[in-house]
Amino acid sequence: MSKVDRILDKYSARVYKNRKLHIIEKTEDNHEISANTRTIPGIMTNRGCCYAGCKGVVLGPIKDVAIITHGPIGCGFYSWGTRRNKARGDKHTKNFVEYCFSTDMQEPDIVFGGEKKLKQAIKEVVEIFDPDAIMICATCPVGLIGDDIHAVAAEAEKLYNRKVVAFSCEGYKGVSQSGGHHIANNGLMRHIIGTGDRVPTKYSINILGEYNIGGDAWEVERILKRIGYDIVVNIPGDSSIHEIENAHIAHLNLVQCHRSINYVADMLKDKYGTSWLKVNFIGVSSTVKSLRDIARYFNDPELTARTEEVIAEELAAIHDEMEYYKSKLKGKTAALFVGGSRSHHYQKLLKDFGVETIMAGYEFAHRDDYEGREVLPFIKEDADSKNIESLRIEKDERRYRLYLSEEQYEKLRKEIPLDYYEGMIKDMEKGTIIIDDMNHFETEEIIRILKPDIFFSGIKDKYVIQKAGILSRQLHSYDYSGPYAGFNGAVNFGRDVLMGLTTPAWGLVKAPWKNSPMIEGHLQEVV
Ligand code: CFM
Ligand code: HCA
C-alpha cells in the first residue's frame, strides 16, 4: 500500500474520496492538489476563522491603530497577545499591540442591535487612548444581525477627525483565515495605502507579509539597512499607519508571505506599477539568495558590492555556530504543518542544517502556494471564494511609474521571481508527502507511518505530538523564542531544535513504536 493510502486507510468511502484530493506523494515535477475548500464537518482541523485572518493576523501587528473587535468578548480575547507579533512604540508612535479593545456584545445587543455600543466604544477609545486611527473588525453575530459598521465608521471618521475603517470579516466568511487576509488587504488598499506624501529615495523598498513574530522583521530590517535600503514600510509587522499610507512610493515590494499579502502586492502593481519580488528570509541560503535577487533588481554596482560585503561578514559571524548545530542535526527528518507559507520557508532553513523534510502541509494555502502562480487561471471559484470581494483596481494615471523598462523587466523575470511565486511543491523531493488542511487523526497517522524525528506545527497539536515521543516545535509562535529569520535567526533556530531533541525529558516518554513491533503482519510457514 502507498504511504498516502496508508494514511487514508481508515476513512469511510466518502471521507476517503474527499481527503484523497488533499494528500499527495510527490512523484513527478508538478502536482495538482485540492486546497482552499471546506473542511469536512466534524473533522478536527487546525484552521482558524476569517476574523482571525483579518484582525488577528494582517491588521493586529499595526501598532498605533486601536482595533476594536465588535462582537462577544471571546473573539477579542482569542486574538489578544497570542500571536507574538512584536512592536516597539516611541515618542512619535503609540503602541497598542498589547491591548485588546472589544465591544463585549451581550444577548440584548444581539436582539436590539450593537451599533450604539460600537459608537460608545469608539468614543471611549478616542477619549482614553487618542489613537491616530481606529479599525473595527466584525465577528460572526455582527453579520448575522446586520449592524452597519461601515456607516458607524464613516460617521466616527467625521466626528473625531481621524481615519476609522471597518472590516466585515465575520468569522464564518470563506473556509479559513485566508478570507480574512483578503478582506484586510482590500481595506488597507482602499482606505490607507496611497494617502501619504513621502518622497522615495534611491533604494526605497517595502517588505510585505513579514509579521515580526519573535522579532523576525527586526532581523530582516537590520540586514537590509546594513546594505543601504530605505525601508518605507514593513506591512504589517511593527508598522505604523503613517508608514502604510506611503507604501505606494517604494520602487520594489518584497513579498515574504505570499498567501496573506499577495493581494496588496498585486494591487500595488496594478495601481502604481510597483513590481514585487518573492523573497524568503528564513534560512541562511535563502536569505543570501533573496539579498542577491534584490540587488539584481536595482542593478547598481555599488549596491551589489555592498550586498556581497554584508553577506560575507554575516556568514563569517555565524559560521562556527551553524557548523556546530549542523554537525548535531544532520540526517534528522522533519514534518511541517503550518498556515500558508512557513511550511515552504522552513524547509530551506532545515536544509541548511542537513535536516530532510519528509512531509509538509498547509492549513489554508491556495493551489498557487502549492503549485505556483501559473495555476491561477485554472483555479475554479466556488461559493466560498466568491463570498470574498475582489477589488477592481484602476491604474493611478498620476502616480503610476515603472522602475524598469519593459525590456529590462522581461529579461529580469527570467532570472529572479519578479511578480511570481513558484509554490512549495516544486522545491520538495520525490517521495515526500504533501497534505492540505491536515487534521488531528492524520497527524497521528503521519507519526505512526512516517516517524519523523521532529514535527513542526502549532499549539493545537503540539502536545499530541510530544506525547507520542516526538519533538514538536511551534513554527507559529516559536515556543516563545526567536527571531528565526535572517542570519542570527538561523542560529537561534539551530540552538532551539537541538535543545528540544536533547532534553532529558525524552527519558520519561517513549514513542509508541519503541514499545510495540515496527512490522505488523502474519508469518507464513514455507514448506
Ligand atoms: Fe503568512 Fe504568517 Fe503563515 Fe499566515 Fe498564520 Fe502566522 Fe502561520 Mo500562524 S501570515 S500564512 S495566517 S506566515 S498566524 S505569521 S504562523 S498560520 S504559516
Ligand atoms: C491563527 C493564529 C495562529 C495560531 C497558532 C497555532 C498563530 O491561526 O489564528 O495554532 O499554534 O500563528 O498565532 O496561526
Side-chain angles (χ1 to χ4, degrees):
M1 215 192 279
S2 73
K3 280 183 260 182
V4 172
D5 279 333
R6 286 176 71 195
I7 298 165
L8 295 164
D9 191 41
K10 293 207 170 58
Y11 281 140
S12 67
R14 275 178 70 178
V15 176
Y16 174 91
K17 200 170 149 219
N18 176 309
R19 290 301 300 153
K20 198 171 167 56
L21 303 171
H22 297 262
I23 307 183
I24 59 177
E25 176 174 343
K26 179 163 174 176
T27 51
E28 290 145 31
D29 282 342
N30 261 323
H31 261 297
E32 189 170 327
I33 191 162
S34 188
N36 192 32
T37 62
R38 280 185 199 191
T39 303
I40 302 170
I43 272 191
M44 277 170 71
T45 172
N46 279 17
R47 282 173 164 178
C49 69
C50 181
Y51 160 80
C54 182
K55 193 274 171 185
V57 174
V58 177
L59 304 177
I62 308 169
K63 61 187 165 193
D64 50 355
V65 174
I67 307 179
I68 302 174
T69 296
H70 186 33
I73 197 64
C75 307
F77 185 79
Y78 163 80
S79 63
W80 182 21
T82 50
R83 202 160 146 268
R84 300 200 64 244
N85 44 282
K86 294 189 172 215
R88 276 192 207 115
D90 56 33
K91 60 177 187 297
H92 309 291
T93 318
K94 291 183 175 151
N95 180 6
F96 302 116
V97 160
E98 282 171 4
Y99 287 83
C100 167
F101 304 96
S102 174
T103 50
D104 182 20
M105 271 179 132
Q106 305 284 328
E107 278 97 336
D109 307 314
I110 307 283
V111 176
F112 300 109
E115 288 176 18
K116 235 170 77 189
K117 210 167 187 188
L118 178 59
K119 287 180 193 172
Q120 180 60 24
I122 296 172
K123 184 171 180 279
E124 283 175 31
V125 160
V126 170
E127 283 168 5
I128 302 169
F129 296 96
D130 191 22
D132 284 4
I134 294 171
M135 289 177 180
I136 302 158
C137 287
T139 70
C140 296
V142 173
L144 298 175
I145 65 174
D147 276 357
D148 189 348
I149 58 171
H150 300 276
V152 174
E155 190 189 301
E157 189 159 287
K158 283 202 197 98
L159 193 62
Y160 301 113
N161 195 27
R162 68 196 73 200
K163 251 173 217 152
V164 183
V165 184
F167 295 81
S168 290
C169 54
E170 287 85 354
Y172 54 75
K173 281 191 179 159
V175 299
S176 67
Q177 49 271 67
S178 170
H181 300 152
H182 198 161
I183 291 168
N185 277 230
N186 288 349
L188 292 178
M189 197 66 197
R190 191 177 256 152
H191 300 283
I192 297 162
I193 293 173
T195 58
D197 53 10
R198 222 196 103 169
V199 182
T201 58
K202 206 165 162 196
Y203 306 130
S204 292
I205 55 170
N206 294 324
I207 312 169
L208 303 182
E210 169 41 67
Y211 292 83
N212 204 26
I213 307 299
D216 275 353
W218 292 334
E219 167 67 358
V220 173
E221 287 172 15
R222 180 188 71 80
I223 301 163
L224 290 168
K225 281 183 184 158
R226 275 201 71 191
I227 295 174
Y229 291 108
D230 162 26
I231 302 166
V232 179
V233 60
N234 168 37
I235 303 181
D238 192 27
S239 64
S240 101
I241 187 89
H242 302 301
E243 289 170 344
I244 299 177
E245 288 169 354
N246 287 305
H248 62 294
I249 70 158
H251 301 306
L252 178 66
N253 290 314
L254 311 180
V255 170
Q256 171 70 23
C257 169
H258 174 263
R259 180 66 269 135
S260 61
I261 211 87
N262 71 87
Y263 317 97
V264 160
D266 278 342
M267 290 189 274
L268 281 171
K269 177 149 181 57
D270 292 344
K271 189 163 179 181
Y272 301 102
T274 330
S275 278
W276 58 268
L277 178 73
K278 178 70 185 78
V279 291
N280 174 22
F281 291 111
I282 301 295
V284 174
S285 38
S286 305
T287 301
V288 169
K289 181 184 179 305
S290 298
L291 295 176
R292 289 189 173 139
D293 285 352
I294 307 166
R296 293 200 71 167
Y297 178 84
F298 285 98
N299 194 26
D300 172 337
E302 208 179 299
L303 184 79
T304 308
R306 179 68 189 144
T307 302
E308 290 306 325
E309 202 175 283
V310 169
I311 290 173
E313 282 173 19
E314 295 282 338
L315 290 181
I318 61 167
H319 177 268
D320 291 356
E321 281 179 286
M322 286 300 290
E323 284 304 307
Y324 172 75
Y325 294 126
K326 187 172 177 181
S327 73
K328 301 282 177 192
L329 297 173
K330 201 169 179 266
K332 301 276 182 218
T333 59
L336 294 90
F337 187 69
V338 210
S341 81
R342 295 186 171 194
S343 302
H344 184 189
H345 295 153
Y346 275 83
Q347 289 186 43
K348 305 282 201 177
L349 176 53
L350 289 165
K351 223 179 201 161
D352 289 337
F353 291 108
V355 176
E356 187 197 340
T357 297
I358 53 176
M359 179 251 132
Y362 285 132
E363 289 175 30
F364 50 75
H366 298 199
R367 276 184 60 201
D368 41 322
D369 305 295
Y370 288 105
E371 301 171 58
R373 281 176 69 95
E374 55 274 31
V375 302
L376 279 174
F378 309 105
I379 297 180
K380 285 192 211 92
E381 287 224 18
D382 60 14
D384 295 304
S385 41
K386 280 190 195 140
N387 211 353
I388 315 288
E389 183 191 17
S390 255
L391 283 193
R392 273 181 60 114
I393 293 295
E394 306 274 324
K395 192 166 160 178
D396 182 326
E397 295 294 349
R398 190 171 59 85
R399 296 185 289 181
Y400 188 93
R401 67 199 142 72
L402 297 174
Y403 189 80
L404 301 175
S405 71
E406 227 170 88
E407 206 178 295
Q408 285 171 322
Y409 178 79
E410 285 310 324
K411 187 164 170 272
L412 202 57
R413 270 197 92 176
K414 296 194 182 90
E415 295 162 26
I416 61 173
L418 258 192
D419 305 314
Y420 176 69
Y421 177 43
E422 63 170 351
M424 175 175 80
I425 297 181
K426 291 194 196 84
D427 245 354
M428 291 179 69
E429 298 293 333
K430 290 200 172 133
T432 54
I433 302 289
I434 296 111
I435 307 191
D436 175 69
D437 188 18
M438 188 168 72
N439 55 56
H440 277 221
F441 167 73
E442 288 162 11
T443 303
E444 292 183 35
E445 290 301 274
I446 290 294
I447 291 172
R448 192 175 66 81
I449 297 162
L450 301 184
K451 302 180 183 51
D453 294 314
I454 318 157
F455 205 130
F456 292 97
S457 190
I459 194 62
K460 293 154 193 148
D461 46 2
K462 178 180 173 84
Y463 295 102
V464 172
I465 297 163
Q466 296 211 154
K467 282 175 187 168
I470 293 184
L471 171 65
S472 173
R473 293 290 307 173
Q474 296 184 63
L475 283 191
H476 301 256
S477 69
Y478 302 162
D479 288 294
Y480 326 108
S481 182
Y484 286 163
F487 298 109
N488 293 335
V491 173
N492 292 340
F493 182 78
R495 179 202 62 209
D496 288 352
V497 173
L498 182 60
M499 205 160 61
L501 283 169
T502 51
T503 169
W506 294 121
L508 307 171
V509 62
K510 274 234 158 1
W513 57 88
K514 293 194 176 148
N515 289 323
S516 55
M518 284 181 65
I519 303 172
E520 287 170 28
H522 302 285
L523 278 180
Q524 229 175 6
E525 240 181 88
V526 184
V527 220

